[in-house]
Coordinates of all heavy atoms in Angstrom, one line a residue:
A380 N 106.0 94.0 107.0 CA 106.4 93.0 108.0 C 105.2 92.0 108.3 O 104.7 92.0 109.4 CB 106.9 93.7 109.3
E383 N 106.2 88.1 110.1 CA 106.4 88.1 111.6 C 105.1 87.9 112.3 O 105.0 87.2 113.3 CB 107.1 89.4 112.0 CG 108.6 89.5 111.6 CD 108.8 89.9 110.1 OE1 107.8 90.1 109.4 OE2 109.9 90.0 109.7
H384 N 104.0 88.6 111.8 CA 102.7 88.4 112.4 C 102.2 87.0 112.2 O 101.7 86.4 113.1 CB 101.7 89.3 111.7 CG 101.7 90.7 112.2 ND1 101.2 91.1 113.4 CD2 102.1 91.9 111.6 CE1 101.4 92.4 113.6 NE2 101.9 92.9 112.5
E385 N 102.5 86.4 111.0 CA 102.0 85.1 110.7 C 102.7 84.1 111.7 O 102.0 83.1 112.2 CB 102.4 84.7 109.3 CG 101.6 85.5 108.3 CD 102.0 85.3 106.9 OE1 102.8 84.4 106.6 OE2 101.6 86.1 106.0
K386 N 104.0 84.3 112.0 CA 104.7 83.4 112.9 C 104.0 83.4 114.3 O 103.8 82.3 114.9 CB 106.1 83.7 113.0 CG 106.9 83.3 111.7 CD 108.4 83.6 111.9 CE 109.2 83.3 110.6 NZ 110.4 84.1 110.5
I387 N 103.8 84.6 114.8 CA 103.2 84.6 116.1 C 101.8 84.0 116.2 O 101.4 83.3 117.0 CB 103.2 86.1 116.6 CG1 104.6 86.6 116.8 CG2 102.3 86.2 117.9 CD1 104.7 87.9 117.6
L388 N 101.0 84.4 115.1 CA 99.6 83.8 115.1 C 99.6 82.3 115.0 O 98.8 81.6 115.7 CB 98.9 84.4 113.9 CG 98.6 85.9 114.1 CD1 98.2 86.6 112.7 CD2 97.5 86.2 115.1
R390 N 102.0 80.4 116.2 CA 102.4 79.9 117.5 C 101.2 79.9 118.5 O 101.2 79.1 119.4 CB 103.5 80.8 118.1 CG 104.9 80.4 117.6 CD 106.0 81.4 117.9 NE 106.3 81.5 119.3 CZ 107.0 82.5 119.9 NH1 107.5 83.5 119.1 NH2 107.3 82.4 121.2
L391 N 100.3 80.8 118.3 CA 99.1 80.9 119.1 C 98.0 80.0 118.5 O 96.8 80.0 118.9 CB 98.6 82.3 119.2 CG 99.5 83.3 120.0 CD1 99.1 84.7 119.9 CD2 99.5 82.9 121.5
V412 N 94.7 91.2 110.0 CA 95.9 91.9 110.5 C 96.4 92.8 109.4 O 96.6 92.4 108.2 CB 97.0 90.9 110.9 CG1 98.3 91.7 111.2 CG2 96.6 90.1 112.1
L413 N 96.6 94.1 109.7 CA 97.2 95.1 108.8 C 98.6 95.3 109.3 O 98.8 96.0 110.4 CB 96.4 96.3 108.8 CG 95.0 96.2 108.3 CD1 94.2 97.5 108.4 CD2 94.8 95.7 106.9
P414 N 99.7 94.9 108.7 CA 101.0 94.9 109.2 C 101.7 96.3 108.9 O 101.2 97.1 108.2 CB 101.8 93.8 108.4 CG 101.1 93.9 107.1 CD 99.6 94.2 107.3
G415 N 102.9 96.4 109.5 CA 103.7 97.6 109.2 C 104.3 97.5 107.9 O 104.3 96.5 107.2
L445 N 93.7 93.9 113.8 CA 94.9 94.3 114.5 C 95.8 95.0 113.5 O 96.2 94.5 112.5 CB 95.7 93.1 115.1 CG 97.1 93.4 115.7 CD1 97.0 94.4 116.9 CD2 97.8 92.1 116.1
A446 N 96.1 96.3 113.8 CA 96.9 97.1 112.8 C 98.1 97.6 113.5 O 98.1 98.1 114.7 CB 96.0 98.3 112.4
T447 N 99.3 97.5 112.9 CA 100.5 97.9 113.5 C 101.2 98.9 112.5 O 101.3 98.6 111.3 CB 101.5 96.8 113.8 OG1 101.8 96.0 112.6 CG2 100.8 95.8 114.8
C448 N 101.6 100.0 113.1 CA 102.5 101.0 112.4 C 101.8 101.5 111.1 O 100.8 102.2 111.1 CB 103.9 100.4 112.2 SG 105.1 101.7 112.1
A449 N 102.3 101.1 109.9 CA 101.6 101.5 108.7 C 100.1 101.1 108.7 O 99.3 101.8 108.2 CB 102.3 100.9 107.4
G450 N 99.9 100.0 109.3 CA 98.5 99.5 109.4 C 97.6 100.5 110.2 O 96.5 100.8 109.9
M451 N 98.2 101.1 111.2 CA 97.5 102.1 112.0 C 97.2 103.3 111.1 O 96.1 103.9 111.2 CB 98.4 102.5 113.2 CG 97.8 103.7 114.0 SD 99.0 104.3 115.2 CE 98.3 103.9 116.8
H486 N 113.5 101.5 120.9 CA 112.9 100.4 121.7 C 112.6 100.9 123.1 O 113.4 101.6 123.7 CB 113.8 99.2 121.7 CG 113.1 98.0 122.3 ND1 112.4 97.1 121.5 CD2 113.1 97.6 123.6 CE1 111.9 96.2 122.4 NE2 112.3 96.5 123.6
T487 N 111.4 100.5 123.6 CA 111.2 100.9 125.0 C 110.2 99.8 125.6 O 109.8 98.9 124.8 CB 110.6 102.3 125.1 OG1 110.5 102.7 126.5 CG2 109.2 102.4 124.5
V491 N 100.4 98.7 128.3 CA 99.2 98.7 127.4 C 98.0 98.3 128.3 O 98.0 97.3 128.9 CB 99.3 97.7 126.2 CG1 98.0 97.7 125.4 CG2 100.5 98.1 125.3
I494 N 96.7 94.8 129.3 CA 97.7 93.7 128.9 C 98.9 93.7 129.9 O 99.4 92.7 130.3 CB 98.1 93.9 127.4 CG1 96.9 93.7 126.5 CG2 99.3 93.0 127.1 CD1 97.2 93.9 125.1
V497 N 104.7 95.9 128.0 CA 105.2 95.1 126.9 C 106.3 95.8 126.2 O 106.5 97.0 126.3 CB 104.0 94.9 125.8 CG1 102.8 94.2 126.4 CG2 103.6 96.2 125.2
P498 N 107.2 95.0 125.5 CA 108.3 95.6 124.8 C 107.7 96.3 123.5 O 106.8 95.8 122.9 CB 109.2 94.4 124.4 CG 108.3 93.2 124.5 CD 107.2 93.5 125.5
M499 N 108.3 97.4 123.2 CA 107.7 98.2 122.0 C 108.9 98.6 121.1 O 109.8 99.3 121.5 CB 107.0 99.5 122.5 CG 105.8 99.2 123.4 SD 105.0 100.8 123.8 CE 103.6 100.2 124.7
T500 N 108.9 98.1 119.9 CA 109.9 98.5 118.9 C 109.2 99.4 117.9 O 108.2 99.1 117.3 CB 110.4 97.2 118.2 OG1 111.0 96.4 119.2 CG2 111.4 97.6 117.1
F501 N 109.8 100.6 117.8 CA 109.3 101.6 116.9 C 110.2 101.8 115.7 O 111.4 101.9 115.9 CB 109.2 103.0 117.6 CG 108.2 103.0 118.7 CD1 108.5 102.6 120.0 CD2 106.9 103.6 118.5 CE1 107.6 102.6 121.0 CE2 106.0 103.6 119.5 CZ 106.3 103.2 120.8
I502 N 109.7 101.7 114.5 CA 110.5 101.9 113.3 C 109.8 103.0 112.4 O 108.7 102.7 111.8 CB 110.6 100.6 112.5 CG1 111.2 99.5 113.4 CG2 111.4 100.8 111.2 CD1 111.2 98.1 112.8
V525 N 100.3 105.9 121.5 CA 100.9 104.8 120.6 C 100.0 103.6 120.5 O 100.4 102.6 119.8 CB 102.3 104.5 121.0 CG1 103.2 105.7 120.9 CG2 102.4 103.9 122.4
G526 N 98.9 103.6 121.1 CA 98.0 102.4 121.0 C 96.6 102.8 121.3 O 96.3 103.6 122.2
L533 N 92.1 97.3 116.9 CA 93.2 97.6 117.7 C 94.3 98.2 116.9 O 94.6 97.5 115.8 CB 93.7 96.3 118.4 CG 93.0 95.7 119.6 CD1 93.6 94.3 119.9 CD2 93.0 96.6 120.7
A534 N 94.9 99.3 117.2 CA 96.0 99.9 116.4 C 97.1 100.3 117.3 O 96.9 101.0 118.3 CB 95.4 101.0 115.6
F535 N 98.3 100.0 116.8 CA 99.5 100.3 117.6 C 100.6 100.9 116.7 O 100.7 100.5 115.5 CB 100.1 99.0 118.3 CG 99.2 98.4 119.3 CD1 98.4 97.4 119.0 CD2 99.1 99.0 120.6 CE1 97.5 96.8 119.9 CE2 98.2 98.5 121.5 CZ 97.4 97.4 121.2
S536 N 101.3 101.9 117.2 CA 102.4 102.6 116.4 C 103.6 101.7 116.3 O 104.4 101.9 115.4 CB 102.9 103.8 117.2 OG 101.9 104.7 117.4
F537 N 103.8 100.8 117.3 CA 105.0 100.0 117.3 C 104.7 98.6 116.7 O 103.7 98.4 116.1 CB 105.5 99.8 118.8 CG 104.5 99.3 119.7 CD1 104.4 98.0 120.0 CD2 103.5 100.2 120.3 CE1 103.4 97.5 120.9 CE2 102.6 99.7 121.2 CZ 102.5 98.4 121.5
H538 N 105.7 97.7 116.8 CA 105.7 96.4 116.1 C 105.7 95.3 117.1 O 106.7 94.7 117.4 CB 106.9 96.3 115.2 CG 106.9 97.1 114.0 ND1 106.4 96.6 112.8 CD2 107.2 98.4 113.7 CE1 106.5 97.6 111.8 NE2 107.0 98.6 112.4
P539 N 104.5 94.9 117.6 CA 104.5 93.8 118.6 C 105.0 92.5 118.0 O 105.4 91.6 118.7 CB 103.0 93.7 119.0 CG 102.3 94.4 118.0 CD 103.2 95.4 117.4
E540 N 104.9 92.4 116.7 CA 105.3 91.1 116.0 C 106.8 91.0 116.0 O 107.3 89.9 115.7 CB 104.7 91.1 114.6 CG 105.4 91.9 113.6 CD 105.1 93.4 113.6 OE1 104.5 93.9 114.6 OE2 105.5 94.1 112.7
L541 N 107.6 92.0 116.3 CA 109.0 91.9 116.3 C 109.7 91.6 117.6 O 110.9 91.4 117.7 CB 109.6 93.2 115.7 CG 109.3 93.6 114.3 CD1 110.0 94.9 113.9 CD2 109.5 92.5 113.3
D542 N 108.8 91.5 118.7 CA 109.4 91.1 120.0 C 108.8 89.8 120.4 O 107.8 89.3 119.9 CB 109.1 92.2 121.0 CG 110.0 93.4 120.8 OD1 111.2 93.2 121.0 OD2 109.5 94.5 120.4
D543 N 109.5 89.2 121.3 CA 109.1 87.9 121.8 C 108.1 87.9 122.9 O 108.3 87.4 123.9 CB 110.4 87.1 122.2 CG 110.2 85.6 122.1 OD1 109.3 85.2 121.3 OD2 110.9 84.9 122.8
D544 N 107.0 88.6 122.6 CA 106.0 88.7 123.6 C 104.6 88.7 122.8 O 104.4 89.5 121.9 CB 106.1 90.1 124.3 CG 105.1 90.2 125.5 OD1 103.9 90.0 125.3 OD2 105.5 90.7 126.5
M545 N 103.8 87.7 123.1 CA 102.7 87.4 122.3 C 101.4 88.0 122.8 O 100.3 87.7 122.3 CB 102.6 85.9 122.0 CG 103.8 85.3 121.5 SD 103.6 83.7 120.7 CE 103.3 82.7 122.2
R546 N 101.5 88.8 123.9 CA 100.2 89.1 124.6 C 99.3 90.0 123.8 O 98.1 90.0 124.0 CB 100.6 89.8 126.0 CG 101.0 88.8 127.0 CD 101.4 89.4 128.3 NE 102.6 90.2 128.1 CZ 103.1 91.1 128.9 NH1 102.4 91.4 130.0 NH2 104.2 91.8 128.6
I547 N 99.9 90.9 122.9 CA 99.0 91.7 122.1 C 98.3 90.9 121.1 O 97.0 91.0 120.9 CB 99.8 92.9 121.5 CG1 100.2 93.9 122.6 CG2 99.1 93.5 120.3 CD1 100.8 95.1 122.1
H548 N 99.0 89.9 120.5 CA 98.3 89.0 119.6 C 97.2 88.2 120.3 O 96.2 87.9 119.8 CB 99.3 88.2 118.8 CG 100.1 88.9 117.8 ND1 101.2 89.7 118.2 CD2 100.0 89.1 116.5 CE1 101.7 90.3 117.1 NE2 101.0 90.0 116.1
E549 N 97.6 87.8 121.5 CA 96.6 87.0 122.3 C 95.3 87.8 122.5 O 94.2 87.3 122.4 CB 97.2 86.6 123.6 CG 97.8 85.2 123.7 CD 98.7 85.0 124.9 OE1 98.8 86.0 125.8 OE2 99.2 83.9 125.1
A550 N 95.5 89.1 122.9 CA 94.4 89.9 123.2 C 93.6 90.1 121.9 O 92.3 90.1 122.0 CB 94.9 91.3 123.8
F551 N 94.2 90.2 120.8 CA 93.5 90.4 119.6 C 92.7 89.1 119.2 O 91.6 89.3 118.8 CB 94.6 90.6 118.5 CG 94.1 90.4 117.1 CD1 93.1 91.2 116.5 CD2 94.8 89.5 116.2 CE1 92.7 91.0 115.2 CE2 94.3 89.3 114.9 CZ 93.3 90.1 114.4

Side-chain angles (χ1 to χ4, degrees):
E383 292 79 0
H384 280 288
E385 293 171 10
K386 284 185 184 155
I387 294 195
L388 292 164
R390 279 168 69 192
L391 291 170
V412 172
L413 301 176
L445 171 63
T447 59
C448 208
M451 175 192 248
H486 186 90
T487 190
V491 176
I494 294 179
V497 300
M499 298 182 177
T500 298
F501 293 82
I502 303 171
V525 298
L533 282 174
F535 297 98
S536 303
F537 54 94
H538 287 267
E540 77 284 8
L541 297 184
D542 282 296
D543 203 23
D544 186 312
M545 305 198 288
R546 284 175 295 163
I547 285 186
H548 290 81
E549 261 168 0
F551 162 61

